Amino acid sequence: MSGRLTVVGLGPGAAGQMTPEAQAAVAQADALFGYAPYLARLPERAGQSRHASDNREELQRAGAALDAAAAGAKVAMVSGGDPGVFAMAAAVCEAIETGPPRWRTLDVAVVPGVTAMLAVAARAGAPLGHDFCAISLSDNLKPWDLVEKRLKLAAEAGFVIALYNPVSRARPWQLGRAFDLLRAALPETVPVVFGRAAGRADEAIAVVPLAEARAELADMATCIIVGSAESRVVHRDGLPPLVYAPRSAGPAR
Amino acid sequence: MSGRLTVVGLGPGAAGQMTPEAQAAVAQADALFGYAPYLARLPERAGQSRHASDNREELQRAGAALDAAAAGAKVAMVSGGDPGVFAMAAAVCEAIETGPPRWRTLDVAVVPGVTAMLAVAARAGAPLGHDFCAISLSDNLKPWDLVEKRLKLAAEAGFVIALYNPVSRARPWQLGRAFDLLRAALPETVPVVFGRAAGRADEAIAVVPLAEARAELADMATCIIVGSAESRVVHRDGLPPLVYAPRSAGPAR
């Protein structure tokens, strides 16, 4: 019995953005666990079982993967992007803390990946070029008041703000409310990058001023980067604009 | 004349954590530009020139690379980690905005990579599991007062805080001051992860409570992750602890 669980980040979706380490971890697994659309990215292999789940069953999914590893399997739990950013690594740690003692002796590893905000930023220029934060708009697991508090303090701090999980069928109004809050705190010219499926065939990148940012510009596959008051937009004839947050900052600029 | 400039993220340092897209961008370049230790990671290739520079010459380095691309070369500008996080992509955008008009017509692309905080987080569990921010402690390009303001607001917001560029010969006291500020705002039991050279042969990961966090535990190659009041440490017999930020948050926990 030498089971193990590796929590693997597949990156944003393009094959060229998945690390060799992640590819090897998937190839070596006896069993793959994960949210169905992430498993669907990976080719079927003989002798490798697949255990797809819904995206709301994270703790149960973690427990099932840990049970399989405890029974001796080499298990890979896959996440899109990086598994440590609003994804499965925290659910696995929580399951280990709250689950049966035998899970604490397991060989558990995390393989990092390129998270969505980095892939979106790369397509837009360098919008995360100075201090920044990442906030999930999902209020499944935290009160919405806390999201509002964090948005206000992030704007006051002058952070660039990356928004994950901006909309879903269960989360229809939160993004519009977030933009309203940010409009009250930031100049209306601040650039907002909507990055959908960055690096994939169906990629769509849009840059609009905060005054024109609307929830309808986003869907479940979108990561949004809201600039700071320091952020710059460089217009180029016949090419998309470059958005960047300058390395220097402060009133002197 | 069909020059281009690709700003490439090499990842944290391990070969297995450099994406295929980054490998291809480096392989296809006529000329490599970058900070000398990053260039040193890449094998020499016949016909490929190398232009190493000091780490304080970012804007000049960007200009030299843009000039080479404007002259027709396929140029790769390399950064450790991700080029959009406290690295060269913002300097390239700034050079384009402030430089000669011919630079605005160039084919410029950014290839993302695994940034240091993700590699460190992966080795520790899931310390970035809920909302988080990334702050550079370098005050070369922003006033130190702004760093202090951001640290205080980040602690008030309950963000996990990743600290980049924590110490250098020119920056001896800033990290100690940052820990003092955070100790005034957060419980002394909050876990602090010191991640040095994550994923490389000389990797060293240490976890200490905020009460015991000292600047001497870090060097230039260290990325530090300071937990929130919600962060958890899972102790395991004979294995390193798992540090994670739970997906749920708020007073109810």
Side-chain angles (χ1 to χ4, degrees), chain B residues 23-213:
Chain B
Q23 292 169 16
V26 168
Q28 290 158 13
D30 305 319
L32 300 183
F33 284 73
Y35 176 43
Y38 300 138
L39 286 179
R41 288 193 203 164
L42 302 171
E44 302 262 359
R45 286 174 201 267
Q48 190 178 58
S49 64
R50 300 165 82 92
H51 309 267
S53 52
D54 185 81
N55 66 346
R56 290 178 165 261
E57 302 162 356
E58 293 183 346
L59 211 55
Q60 299 98 301
R61 189 194 311 164
L66 287 159
D67 267 338
K74 291 178 178 39
V75 177
M77 164 75 79
V78 301
S79 278
D82 179 84
V85 176
F86 310 121
M88 285 304 300
V92 167
C93 291
E94 186 178 336
I96 291 172
E97 184 178 26
T98 58
R102 69 180 182 280
W103 288 352
R104 292 201 188 209
T105 63
L106 282 173
D107 179 2
V108 174
V110 179
V111 172
V114 173
T115 185
M117 66 180 164
L118 302 183
V120 169
R123 301 307 253 177
L128 301 174
H130 69 43
D131 301 334
F132 64 92
C133 66
I135 298 177
S136 169
L137 291 191
S138 171
D139 56 353
N140 283 345
L141 293 156
K142 65 186 170 193
W144 176 253
D145 284 354
L146 184 59
V147 176
E148 293 206 356
K149 176 183 171 184
R150 287 178 176 165
L151 288 168
K152 286 175 191 166
L153 290 167
E156 185 182 345
F159 287 130
V160 172
I161 303 170
L163 299 175
Y164 280 72
N165 303 318
V167 286
S168 75
R169 261 166 287 178
R171 207 177 314 118
W173 55 265
Q174 283 82 343
L175 179 59
R177 173 85 183 132
F179 286 142
D180 287 342
L181 276 171
L182 293 172
R183 272 189 280 268
L186 293 170
E188 61 180 14
T189 53
V190 159
V192 180
V193 180
F194 291 80
R196 189 180 180 286
R200 304 209 291 272
D202 53 343
E203 169 182 298
I205 308 289
V207 179
V208 304
L210 181 56
E212 296 168 24

Side-chain angles (χ1 to χ4, degrees), chain A residues 12 15-23 58-59 82-87 89-98 103-115 117-119 121-136 141-143 146-147 149-151 153-154 156-159 230 232-237 239 242-251 253, chain B residues 12 15-23 58-59 82-87 89-98 103-115 117-119 121-136 141-143 146-147 149-151 153-154 156-159 230 232-237 239 242-251 253:
Chain A
Q17 293 181 344
M18 182 173 167
T19 67
E21 186 183 40
Q23 292 169 16
E58 292 182 347
L59 211 55
D82 179 83
V85 176
F86 309 122
V92 167
C93 290
E94 185 178 335
I96 291 171
E97 184 177 27
T98 58
W103 288 353
R104 291 201 188 208
T105 64
L106 282 172
D107 180 2
V108 173
V110 179
V111 172
V114 173
T115 184
M117 66 179 166
L118 302 183
R123 301 306 253 178
L128 301 175
H130 68 42
D131 300 332
F132 64 92
C133 65
I135 298 177
S136 168
L141 292 156
K142 63 186 171 194
L146 183 59
V147 176
K149 176 183 170 184
R150 287 178 176 166
L151 288 168
L153 290 168
E156 186 183 345
F159 287 129
E230 308 294 325
R232 309 281 308 162
V233 181
V234 185
H235 296 285
R236 301 183 298 168
D237 280 349
L239 291 171
L242 293 172
V243 180
Y244 78 99
R247 304 163 303 143
S248 59
R253 192 186 166 77
Chain B
Q17 293 182 344
M18 181 173 168
T19 67
E21 185 182 41
Q23 292 169 16
E58 293 183 346
L59 211 55
D82 179 84
V85 176
F86 310 121
V92 167
C93 291
E94 186 178 336
I96 291 172
E97 184 178 26
T98 58
W103 288 352
R104 292 201 188 209
T105 63
L106 282 173
D107 179 2
V108 174
V110 179
V111 172
V114 173
T115 185
M117 66 180 164
L118 302 183
R123 301 307 253 177
L128 301 174
H130 69 43
D131 301 334
F132 64 92
C133 66
I135 298 177
S136 169
L141 293 156
K142 65 186 170 193
L146 184 59
V147 176
K149 176 183 171 184
R150 287 178 176 165
L151 288 168
L153 290 167
E156 185 182 345
F159 287 130
E230 308 296 324
R232 308 283 305 162
V233 180
V234 185
H235 296 286
R236 301 183 298 169
D237 280 348
L239 291 170
L242 293 171
V243 181
Y244 78 100
R247 302 161 306 143
S248 58
R253 188 186 171 77

Side-chain angles (χ1 to χ4, degrees), chain A:
Chain A
M1 303 295 265
S2 60
R4 64 168 184 254
L5 173 60
T6 308
V7 191
V8 182
L10 302 183
Q17 293 181 344
M18 182 173 167
T19 67
E21 186 183 40
Q23 292 169 16
V26 168
Q28 289 159 12
D30 306 318
L32 300 182
F33 284 73
Y35 176 44
Y38 300 137
L39 286 179
R41 289 192 201 163
L42 303 171
E44 302 262 1
R45 285 175 202 266
Q48 190 177 59
S49 64
R50 299 165 81 91
H51 309 267
S53 53
D54 185 81
N55 66 346
R56 288 177 167 261
E57 301 162 356
E58 292 182 347
L59 211 55
Q60 299 96 302
R61 189 193 310 161
L66 286 160
D67 268 337
K74 291 177 177 40
V75 177
M77 163 75 79
V78 301
S79 278
D82 179 83
V85 176
F86 309 122
M88 285 305 299
V92 167
C93 290
E94 185 178 335
I96 291 171
E97 184 177 27
T98 58
R102 67 180 183 280
W103 288 353
R104 291 201 188 208
T105 64
L106 282 172
D107 180 2
V108 173
V110 179
V111 172
V114 173
T115 184
M117 66 179 166
L118 302 183
V120 169
R123 301 306 253 178
L128 301 175
H130 68 42
D131 300 332
F132 64 92
C133 65
I135 298 177
S136 168
L137 290 191
S138 172
D139 55 355
N140 283 346
L141 292 156
K142 63 186 171 194
W144 176 253
D145 284 354
L146 183 59
V147 176
E148 293 206 354
K149 176 183 170 184
R150 287 178 176 166
L151 288 168
K152 286 175 191 166
L153 290 168
E156 186 183 345
F159 287 129
V160 172
I161 303 171
L163 299 176
Y164 280 72
N165 303 317
V167 287
S168 74
R169 262 166 286 177
R171 206 178 316 119
W173 56 265
Q174 283 83 341
L175 179 59
R177 173 85 184 129
F179 285 143
D180 287 343
L181 275 172
L182 293 171
R183 272 189 281 269
L186 292 170
E188 62 180 15
T189 53
V190 160
V192 180
V193 180
F194 290 80
R196 189 180 180 285
R200 304 209 291 271
D202 53 342
E203 169 181 297
I205 307 289
V207 179
V208 305
L210 181 56
E212 296 168 24
R214 298 283 174 268
E216 293 68 34
L217 295 169
D219 67 9
M220 281 182 67
T222 305
C223 182
I224 297 167
I225 299 175
V226 180
S228 76
E230 308 294 325
S231 296
R232 309 281 308 162
V233 181
V234 185
H235 296 285
R236 301 183 298 168
D237 280 349
L239 291 171
L242 293 172
V243 180
Y244 78 99
R247 304 163 303 143
S248 59
R253 192 186 166 77

